[in-house]
Amino acid sequence: MITTYYRVTGMTCGHCEESVREEVGAMVGVETVDVSAAAGTLVVTSVAGLDEGQVPAAVREAGYTAEPQPAGPRSE
C-alpha cells in the first residue's frame, strides 16, 4: 500500500469532506480516503502509486484545491 498526503483548501464542513471523499474514493486503485475539513488534510491509501495529478484533479471536481505534501501531517 502507498499513502500520500495532501493539504486541501476551501473545505468548511462535513458535506465538503464527503464531496472530496466521494471523488477521490471513486478513483481506480484507491483503498482508503481520510479527509478533515478542520485540519485541511487528505490522506489517500492506494494499492499502487497514483499519477501525480489524479488526486488534485479529483479534489478540483469536488470544488476544492489540493496540494501534495512530501510527508505526513505537520504540526502547526
Side-chain angles (χ1 to χ4, degrees):
M1 295 290 189
I2 297 173
T3 302
T4 52
Y5 301 87
Y6 300 86
R7 170 73 58 199
V8 179
T9 55
M11 296 187 302
T12 59
C13 64
H15 181 266
C16 300
E17 292 174 347
E18 187 58 31
S19 295
V20 170
R21 191 176 293 111
E22 285 180 15
E23 289 292 336
V24 176
M27 295 171 49
V28 174
V30 170
E31 290 291 313
T32 63
V33 178
D34 182 24
V35 60
S36 170
T41 58
L42 169 64
V43 181
V44 180
T45 303
S46 57
V47 293
L50 300 171
D51 180 90
E52 188 175 300
Q54 282 182 298
V55 173
V59 172
R60 273 193 305 278
E61 280 294 315
Y64 311 98
T65 303
E67 295 180 29
Q69 298 298 298
R74 298 178 191 161
S75 300
E76 294 186 41

Coordinates of all heavy atoms in Angstrom, one line a residue:
M1 N 0.8 -1.2 0.0 CA 0.0 0.0 0.0 C 0.9 1.3 0.0 O 1.9 1.3 0.6 CB -0.9 0.0 1.2 CG -1.9 -1.1 1.3 SD -3.2 -0.8 0.1 CE -4.3 -2.0 0.5
I2 N 0.4 2.3 -0.7 CA 1.1 3.5 -0.7 C 0.2 4.6 -0.1 O -1.0 4.7 -0.5 CB 1.5 3.9 -2.2 CG1 2.4 2.8 -2.7 CG2 2.1 5.3 -2.3 CD1 2.7 2.9 -4.2
T3 N 0.7 5.4 0.7 CA 0.0 6.5 1.4 C 0.5 7.8 0.9 O 1.8 8.0 0.9 CB 0.1 6.4 2.9 OG1 -0.4 5.1 3.3 CG2 -0.8 7.5 3.6
T4 N -0.4 8.7 0.5 CA 0.0 10.1 0.1 C -0.8 11.1 0.8 O -1.9 10.8 1.2 CB -0.2 10.3 -1.5 OG1 -1.5 9.9 -1.8 CG2 0.8 9.4 -2.3
Y5 N -0.2 12.2 1.1 CA -0.8 13.3 1.9 C -0.9 14.5 1.1 O -0.1 14.9 0.3 CB 0.2 13.6 3.1 CG 0.5 12.4 3.9 CD1 1.5 11.5 3.6 CD2 -0.3 12.1 5.0 CE1 1.8 10.4 4.4 CE2 -0.1 10.9 5.8 CZ 1.0 10.1 5.5 OH 1.2 9.0 6.2
Y6 N -2.1 15.2 1.4 CA -2.4 16.5 0.7 C -2.9 17.5 1.6 O -3.6 17.2 2.6 CB -3.5 16.2 -0.4 CG -3.1 15.2 -1.4 CD1 -3.2 13.9 -1.2 CD2 -2.5 15.6 -2.6 CE1 -2.8 12.9 -2.1 CE2 -2.1 14.7 -3.6 CZ -2.2 13.4 -3.3 OH -1.8 12.5 -4.3
R7 N -2.6 18.8 1.3 CA -3.2 19.9 2.0 C -4.4 20.4 1.1 O -4.2 20.6 -0.1 CB -2.2 21.0 2.2 CG -2.8 22.4 2.7 CD -3.2 22.4 4.1 NE -2.0 22.1 5.0 CZ -2.2 21.7 6.2 NH1 -3.4 21.6 6.7 NH2 -1.2 21.4 7.0
V8 N -5.6 20.4 1.7 CA -6.8 20.8 0.9 C -7.3 22.1 1.5 O -7.5 22.3 2.7 CB -7.9 19.7 1.0 CG1 -9.1 20.2 0.2 CG2 -7.4 18.4 0.5
T9 N -7.6 23.1 0.5 CA -8.1 24.4 0.9 C -9.5 24.5 0.4 O -9.9 24.0 -0.6 CB -7.3 25.5 0.4 OG1 -7.1 25.4 -1.0 CG2 -5.9 25.5 1.0
G10 N -10.3 25.2 1.2 CA -11.7 25.5 0.8 C -12.8 24.7 1.5 O -14.0 25.1 1.5
M11 N -12.4 23.6 2.2 CA -13.4 22.8 2.9 C -13.8 23.5 4.2 O -12.9 24.0 4.9 CB -12.8 21.4 3.2 CG -12.5 20.6 2.0 SD -12.1 18.9 2.5 CE -10.7 19.1 3.5
T12 N -15.1 23.5 4.6 CA -15.5 24.1 5.8 C -16.4 23.2 6.7 O -16.7 23.5 7.8 CB -16.3 25.4 5.5 OG1 -17.4 25.1 4.7 CG2 -15.4 26.4 4.9
C13 N -16.9 22.0 6.1 CA -17.9 21.2 6.8 C -17.8 19.8 6.4 O -17.1 19.4 5.6 CB -19.3 21.8 6.6 SG -19.8 21.7 4.8
G14 N -18.7 19.0 7.1 CA -18.8 17.6 6.8 C -19.2 17.3 5.4 O -18.8 16.3 4.7
H15 N -20.1 18.1 4.8 CA -20.5 18.0 3.4 C -19.3 18.1 2.5 O -19.2 17.4 1.5 CB -21.6 19.0 3.0 CG -22.1 18.8 1.6 ND1 -21.6 19.6 0.6 CD2 -23.0 18.0 1.1 CE1 -22.2 19.2 -0.5 NE2 -23.1 18.2 -0.2
C16 N -18.5 19.1 2.8 CA -17.2 19.3 2.0 C -16.4 18.0 2.0 O -15.9 17.5 1.0 CB -16.4 20.4 2.5 SG -17.2 22.0 2.5
E17 N -16.2 17.5 3.2 CA -15.4 16.2 3.4 C -16.0 15.1 2.6 O -15.3 14.4 1.9 CB -15.4 15.8 4.9 CG -14.6 16.7 5.8 CD -14.7 16.4 7.2 OE1 -15.6 15.5 7.6 OE2 -13.9 16.9 8.0
E18 N -17.3 15.0 2.6 CA -18.0 13.9 1.9 C -17.8 14.0 0.4 O -17.6 13.1 -0.3 CB -19.4 13.8 2.2 CG -20.1 12.6 1.6 CD -19.5 11.3 2.0 OE1 -19.0 11.1 3.1 OE2 -19.6 10.3 1.2
S19 N -17.8 15.3 -0.1 CA -17.7 15.5 -1.5 C -16.3 15.1 -2.0 O -16.1 14.4 -3.0 CB -17.9 17.0 -1.9 OG -19.2 17.4 -1.6
V20 N -15.3 15.5 -1.2 CA -13.9 15.1 -1.5 C -13.7 13.6 -1.4 O -13.1 12.9 -2.3 CB -12.9 15.8 -0.6 CG1 -11.5 15.2 -0.8 CG2 -12.9 17.3 -0.9
R21 N -14.3 13.0 -0.4 CA -14.2 11.5 -0.1 C -14.8 10.8 -1.3 O -14.2 9.8 -1.8 CB -14.9 11.1 1.2 CG -14.7 9.7 1.6 CD -15.3 9.4 2.9 NE -14.7 10.2 4.0 CZ -15.3 11.2 4.7 NH1 -16.5 11.6 4.4 NH2 -14.6 11.8 5.6
E22 N -15.9 11.2 -1.8 CA -16.6 10.5 -2.9 C -15.8 10.6 -4.2 O -15.6 9.6 -4.9 CB -18.0 11.1 -3.2 CG -19.0 10.7 -2.2 CD -20.4 11.3 -2.4 OE1 -20.6 11.8 -3.5 OE2 -21.2 11.3 -1.5
E23 N -15.3 11.8 -4.5 CA -14.5 12.0 -5.8 C -13.2 11.2 -5.8 O -12.9 10.5 -6.7 CB -14.2 13.5 -6.0 CG -15.4 14.3 -6.4 CD -15.9 14.0 -7.8 OE1 -15.2 13.4 -8.7 OE2 -17.1 14.3 -8.0
V24 N -12.5 11.3 -4.7 CA -11.2 10.6 -4.6 C -11.4 9.1 -4.4 O -10.7 8.3 -5.0 CB -10.3 11.2 -3.4 CG1 -9.0 10.4 -3.3 CG2 -10.0 12.7 -3.7
G25 N -12.4 8.7 -3.6 CA -12.7 7.3 -3.4 C -13.1 6.6 -4.7 O -13.0 5.3 -4.8
A26 N -13.6 7.3 -5.7 CA -14.0 6.7 -6.9 C -12.9 6.3 -7.9 O -13.1 5.6 -8.9 CB -15.0 7.6 -7.6
M27 N -11.7 6.8 -7.5 CA -10.5 6.6 -8.4 C -10.1 5.1 -8.3 O -10.1 4.5 -7.2 CB -9.4 7.5 -8.0 CG -9.7 9.0 -8.2 SD -8.4 10.0 -7.4 CE -6.9 9.3 -8.0
V28 N -9.7 4.6 -9.5 CA -9.2 3.2 -9.5 C -8.0 3.1 -8.7 O -7.0 3.9 -8.8 CB -9.0 2.8 -11.0 CG1 -8.3 1.4 -11.1 CG2 -10.2 2.8 -11.8
G29 N -7.9 2.1 -7.8 CA -6.7 1.8 -7.0 C -6.8 2.4 -5.7 O -6.0 2.0 -4.8
V30 N -7.7 3.3 -5.4 CA -7.8 3.9 -4.1 C -8.4 3.0 -3.1 O -9.5 2.4 -3.4 CB -8.5 5.3 -4.1 CG1 -8.8 5.8 -2.7 CG2 -7.7 6.3 -4.9
E31 N -7.8 2.8 -2.0 CA -8.3 1.9 -0.9 C -9.0 2.6 0.2 O -10.1 2.3 0.6 CB -7.2 1.0 -0.4 CG -6.6 0.0 -1.3 CD -7.6 -1.1 -1.6 OE1 -8.2 -1.7 -0.7 OE2 -7.8 -1.4 -2.8
T32 N -8.4 3.7 0.7 CA -9.0 4.5 1.8 C -8.8 5.9 1.5 O -7.8 6.4 0.9 CB -8.4 4.1 3.2 OG1 -7.0 4.4 3.2 CG2 -8.6 2.6 3.5
V33 N -9.7 6.7 2.0 CA -9.6 8.2 1.9 C -10.0 8.7 3.3 O -11.0 8.5 3.8 CB -10.6 8.7 0.9 CG1 -10.6 10.3 0.9 CG2 -10.4 8.1 -0.5
D34 N -9.0 9.5 3.9 CA -9.3 10.1 5.2 C -9.1 11.6 5.0 O -8.1 12.1 4.6 CB -8.2 9.6 6.2 CG -8.4 10.2 7.6 OD1 -9.6 10.7 7.9 OD2 -7.5 10.3 8.4
V35 N -10.3 12.3 5.2 CA -10.3 13.8 4.9 C -10.8 14.5 6.1 O -11.7 14.1 6.8 CB -11.1 14.1 3.7 CG1 -12.5 13.6 3.8 CG2 -11.1 15.5 3.3
S36 N -10.2 15.7 6.4 CA -10.6 16.5 7.6 C -10.7 18.0 7.1 O -9.7 18.6 6.8 CB -9.6 16.4 8.7 OG -9.8 17.3 9.7
A37 N -11.9 18.5 7.2 CA -12.1 19.9 6.9 C -11.4 20.8 7.9 O -10.8 21.8 7.6 CB -13.6 20.2 6.8
A38 N -11.5 20.4 9.2 CA -10.9 21.2 10.3 C -9.4 21.3 10.1 O -8.8 22.4 10.3 CB -11.3 20.5 11.6
A39 N -8.7 20.2 9.8 CA -7.3 20.2 9.6 C -6.8 20.6 8.2 O -5.7 20.9 8.0 CB -6.7 18.9 10.0
G40 N -7.8 20.5 7.2 CA -7.4 20.8 5.8 C -6.5 19.8 5.3 O -5.6 20.1 4.5
T41 N -6.8 18.5 5.7 CA -5.9 17.4 5.2 C -6.7 16.3 4.5 O -7.9 16.1 4.7 CB -5.1 16.8 6.4 OG1 -6.1 16.3 7.3 CG2 -4.2 17.8 7.1
L42 N -5.9 15.6 3.6 CA -6.4 14.5 2.9 C -5.3 13.5 2.9 O -4.2 13.8 2.5 CB -6.8 14.9 1.5 CG -7.1 13.8 0.5 CD1 -8.4 13.0 0.9 CD2 -7.3 14.4 -0.9
V43 N -5.7 12.2 3.3 CA -4.7 11.1 3.3 C -5.3 10.0 2.4 O -6.4 9.6 2.7 CB -4.4 10.6 4.7 CG1 -3.4 9.5 4.6 CG2 -3.9 11.7 5.6
V44 N -4.6 9.6 1.4 CA -5.1 8.6 0.4 C -4.2 7.4 0.5 O -3.0 7.5 0.3 CB -5.1 9.2 -1.0 CG1 -5.6 8.2 -2.0 CG2 -5.9 10.5 -1.1
T45 N -4.8 6.2 0.6 CA -4.0 5.0 0.6 C -4.5 4.3 -0.7 O -5.7 4.1 -0.9 CB -4.3 4.1 1.8 OG1 -4.0 4.9 3.0 CG2 -3.5 2.9 1.8
S46 N -3.5 3.8 -1.5 CA -3.8 3.2 -2.7 C -3.0 1.9 -2.9 O -1.9 1.8 -2.2 CB -3.5 4.1 -3.9 OG -2.2 4.6 -3.9
V47 N -3.4 1.0 -3.7 CA -2.7 -0.3 -3.9 C -1.4 -0.1 -4.7 O -0.5 -0.8 -4.6 CB -3.6 -1.3 -4.6 CG1 -4.7 -1.7 -3.7 CG2 -4.1 -0.8 -5.9
A48 N -1.4 1.0 -5.5 CA -0.2 1.3 -6.3 C -0.1 2.8 -6.4 O -1.0 3.5 -6.0 CB -0.3 0.7 -7.7
G49 N 1.1 3.3 -6.8 CA 1.2 4.7 -7.0 C 0.2 5.3 -7.9 O -0.1 4.7 -8.9
L50 N -0.3 6.5 -7.6 CA -1.3 7.2 -8.4 C -0.5 8.2 -9.2 O 0.5 8.8 -8.8 CB -2.3 7.9 -7.6 CG -3.2 6.9 -6.7 CD1 -4.0 7.7 -5.8 CD2 -4.0 6.0 -7.6
D51 N -1.0 8.6 -10.4 CA -0.5 9.7 -11.2 C -0.5 10.9 -10.3 O -1.5 11.2 -9.7 CB -1.3 9.8 -12.5 CG -0.7 10.9 -13.3 OD1 0.1 10.7 -14.2 OD2 -1.2 12.1 -13.2
E52 N 0.6 11.7 -10.4 CA 0.7 12.9 -9.5 C -0.5 13.9 -9.6 O -0.8 14.5 -8.6 CB 2.0 13.6 -9.9 CG 2.4 14.7 -9.0 CD 3.7 15.4 -9.4 OE1 4.7 14.6 -9.4 OE2 3.7 16.6 -9.7
G53 N -1.1 14.0 -10.8 CA -2.2 14.9 -10.9 C -3.6 14.4 -10.7 O -4.5 15.1 -10.6
Q54 N -3.7 13.1 -10.5 CA -5.0 12.5 -10.3 C -5.8 13.0 -9.1 O -7.0 13.3 -9.2 CB -4.9 10.9 -10.3 CG -4.7 10.3 -11.6 CD -4.7 8.8 -11.4 OE1 -3.8 8.2 -10.7 NE2 -5.6 8.1 -12.0
V55 N -5.2 12.9 -8.0 CA -5.9 13.3 -6.7 C -6.2 14.8 -6.7 O -7.4 15.1 -6.5 CB -5.1 12.9 -5.5 CG1 -5.8 13.4 -4.2 CG2 -5.0 11.4 -5.4
P56 N -5.3 15.7 -7.1 CA -5.7 17.1 -7.1 C -6.8 17.4 -8.1 O -7.7 18.2 -7.9 CB -4.4 17.8 -7.6 CG -3.3 16.9 -7.0 CD -3.8 15.5 -7.2
A57 N -6.8 16.6 -9.3 CA -7.9 16.8 -10.2 C -9.2 16.3 -9.7 O -10.3 17.0 -9.9 CB -7.6 16.0 -11.5
A58 N -9.2 15.2 -8.9 CA -10.5 14.8 -8.3 C -11.0 15.7 -7.2 O -12.2 16.0 -7.1 CB -10.2 13.4 -7.7
V59 N -10.0 16.3 -6.5 CA -10.4 17.3 -5.5 C -11.0 18.6 -6.1 O -12.0 19.1 -5.7 CB -9.2 17.6 -4.5 CG1 -9.6 18.8 -3.6 CG2 -8.8 16.4 -3.8
R60 N -10.4 19.0 -7.3 CA -11.0 20.1 -8.0 C -12.4 19.8 -8.5 O -13.2 20.7 -8.5 CB -10.1 20.4 -9.2 CG -9.0 21.4 -8.9 CD -8.3 21.9 -10.2 NE -7.8 20.9 -11.1 CZ -6.7 20.3 -11.0 NH1 -5.9 20.5 -10.0 NH2 -6.3 19.4 -11.9
E61 N -12.7 18.6 -8.9 CA -14.0 18.2 -9.3 C -15.0 18.4 -8.1 O -16.2 18.7 -8.4 CB -14.1 16.7 -9.7 CG -13.6 16.5 -11.1 CD -14.5 17.1 -12.2 OE1 -15.7 17.0 -12.1 OE2 -14.0 17.7 -13.1
A62 N -14.5 18.2 -6.9 CA -15.4 18.4 -5.7 C -15.5 19.9 -5.4 O -16.3 20.2 -4.5 CB -14.8 17.6 -4.6
G63 N -14.7 20.7 -6.0 CA -14.8 22.2 -5.7 C -13.7 22.8 -4.8 O -13.9 23.9 -4.3
Y64 N -12.6 22.0 -4.6 CA -11.6 22.5 -3.7 C -10.2 22.4 -4.3 O -10.1 21.9 -5.5 CB -11.6 21.6 -2.4 CG -13.1 21.6 -1.9 CD1 -13.9 20.5 -2.1 CD2 -13.6 22.7 -1.2 CE1 -15.2 20.5 -1.7 CE2 -14.9 22.7 -0.8 CZ -15.7 21.5 -1.0 OH -17.0 21.5 -0.6
T65 N -9.2 22.8 -3.6 CA -7.8 22.7 -4.1 C -7.0 21.8 -3.2 O -7.0 21.9 -2.0 CB -7.2 24.1 -4.2 OG1 -8.1 25.0 -4.9 CG2 -5.8 24.1 -4.8
A66 N -6.2 21.0 -3.9 CA -5.3 20.1 -3.1 C -3.9 20.2 -3.6 O -3.6 20.3 -4.8 CB -5.7 18.6 -3.3
E67 N -2.9 20.3 -2.6 CA -1.5 20.3 -2.9 C -0.8 19.1 -2.2 O -1.1 18.9 -1.0 CB -0.9 21.6 -2.4 CG -1.4 22.9 -3.0 CD -0.8 24.1 -2.5 OE1 0.4 24.0 -2.0 OE2 -1.4 25.1 -2.5
P68 N 0.0 18.4 -3.0 CA 0.7 17.3 -2.3 C 1.6 17.8 -1.2 O 2.2 18.8 -1.3 CB 1.5 16.7 -3.5 CG 1.0 17.2 -4.7 CD 0.3 18.5 -4.4
Q69 N 1.7 17.0 -0.2 CA 2.6 17.2 0.9 C 3.7 16.1 0.9 O 3.4 15.0 0.7 CB 1.9 17.2 2.3 CG 0.8 18.2 2.4 CD 1.4 19.6 2.3 OE1 2.1 20.0 3.2 NE2 1.0 20.4 1.3
P70 N 4.9 16.5 1.1 CA 6.0 15.5 0.9 C 6.0 14.4 2.0 O 6.6 13.4 1.8 CB 7.3 16.3 1.0 CG 6.9 17.6 1.6 CD 5.4 17.8 1.3
A71 N 5.4 14.7 3.1 CA 5.4 13.7 4.2 C 4.1 13.7 4.9 O 3.2 14.4 4.5 CB 6.6 14.0 5.2
G72 N 4.0 13.1 6.0 CA 2.8 13.0 6.8 C 2.4 14.4 7.3 O 3.1 15.4 7.1
P73 N 1.3 14.4 8.1 CA 0.8 15.7 8.6 C 1.8 16.4 9.4 O 2.6 15.8 10.1 CB -0.4 15.3 9.5 CG -0.8 13.9 8.9 CD 0.5 13.3 8.4
R74 N 1.8 17.7 9.3 CA 2.7 18.6 10.1 C 2.0 19.2 11.3 O 0.9 19.5 11.2 CB 3.2 19.7 9.2 CG 4.0 19.2 8.0 CD 4.4 20.3 7.1 NE 4.9 19.8 5.9 CZ 5.0 20.6 4.8 NH1 4.7 21.8 4.8 NH2 5.5 20.1 3.7
S75 N 2.8 19.5 12.3 CA 2.3 20.2 13.4 C 2.3 21.7 13.1 O 3.3 22.2 12.6 CB 3.1 20.0 14.7 OG 3.2 18.6 15.0
E76 N 1.2 22.4 13.4 CA 1.2 23.8 13.1 C 0.7 24.6 14.3 O 0.1 24.1 15.2 CB 0.3 24.1 11.9 CG 0.8 23.5 10.7 CD 0.0 23.9 9.5 OE1 -0.4 25.0 9.4 OE2 -0.2 23.0 8.6

